[in-house]
Amino acid sequence: MSDLLLDINLQNLPDDYFMGEWHVASRVLNRNDASTPLAQANRVVLTPNTVETHVSGSSEHPTGSWAVVRDELMNRPYLRFDLPEEDTRALVTRLRRSLDGLRSQLNLYFASGMEIQLDRF
């Protein structure tokens, strides 16, 4: 398996590129509430219309909905998350995938200032 990841054009990518089991590789909270599901998650699972967050050592997995929304001007993708105690939106700043599509890296920037890098392998 190659470690080479290619940048994906964010304006033309299919929404299903976001689905799958993502592992949190890095996170910067900035002014975000550290107790929210996305701020604590070490794993995020995106299936059609459903998001599930996982935290190490916890048997609870807050579940909610998610959707891809695009701005009208530049067609940039945002991910909208509706979770218990957290309704937020994140700009997709970068998506990279391997040639075979088995590995991906997703960078999200939230309105709160939180940044998350997610890896799928």
Side-chain angles (χ1 to χ4, degrees):
M1 174 173 70
S2 171
D3 287 340
L4 178 66
L5 296 176
L6 304 172
D7 282 303
I8 302 297
N9 180 339
L10 297 176
Q11 295 174 325
N12 300 318
L13 78 151
D15 294 352
D16 65 346
Y17 275 27
F18 298 113
M19 286 192 261
E21 183 175 327
W22 296 90
H23 298 267
V24 176
S26 67
R27 174 181 15 244
V28 177
L29 290 177
N30 291 324
R31 63 185 184 273
N32 195 68
D33 180 0
S35 67
T36 64
L38 288 168
Q40 292 184 356
N42 63 346
R43 211 164 38 110
V44 177
V45 180
L46 300 175
T47 57
N49 303 318
T50 303
V51 57
E52 186 175 297
T53 59
H54 296 259
V55 178
S56 293
S58 175
S59 61
E60 293 185 26
H61 308 295
T63 302
S65 62
W66 74 283
V68 178
V69 292
R70 297 180 183 277
D71 67 23
E72 292 182 19
L73 184 61
M74 297 181 66
N75 203 35
R76 293 177 298 196
Y78 289 81
L79 300 185
R80 187 185 72 233
F81 297 99
D82 296 315
L83 287 155
E85 303 174 27
E86 185 174 25
D87 291 333
T88 190
R89 190 169 87 153
L91 174 65
V92 176
T93 57
R94 187 176 201 184
L95 177 64
R96 302 172 77 209
R97 286 174 49 107
S98 61
L99 289 173
D100 59 12
L102 298 176
R103 294 188 59 238
S104 298
Q105 185 179 74
L106 175 63
N107 293 50
L108 302 175
Y109 182 78
F110 292 80
S112 65
M114 180 171 67
E115 299 175 57
I116 295 179
Q117 179 181 314
L118 300 167
D119 291 338
R120 184 177 61 200
F121 41 90

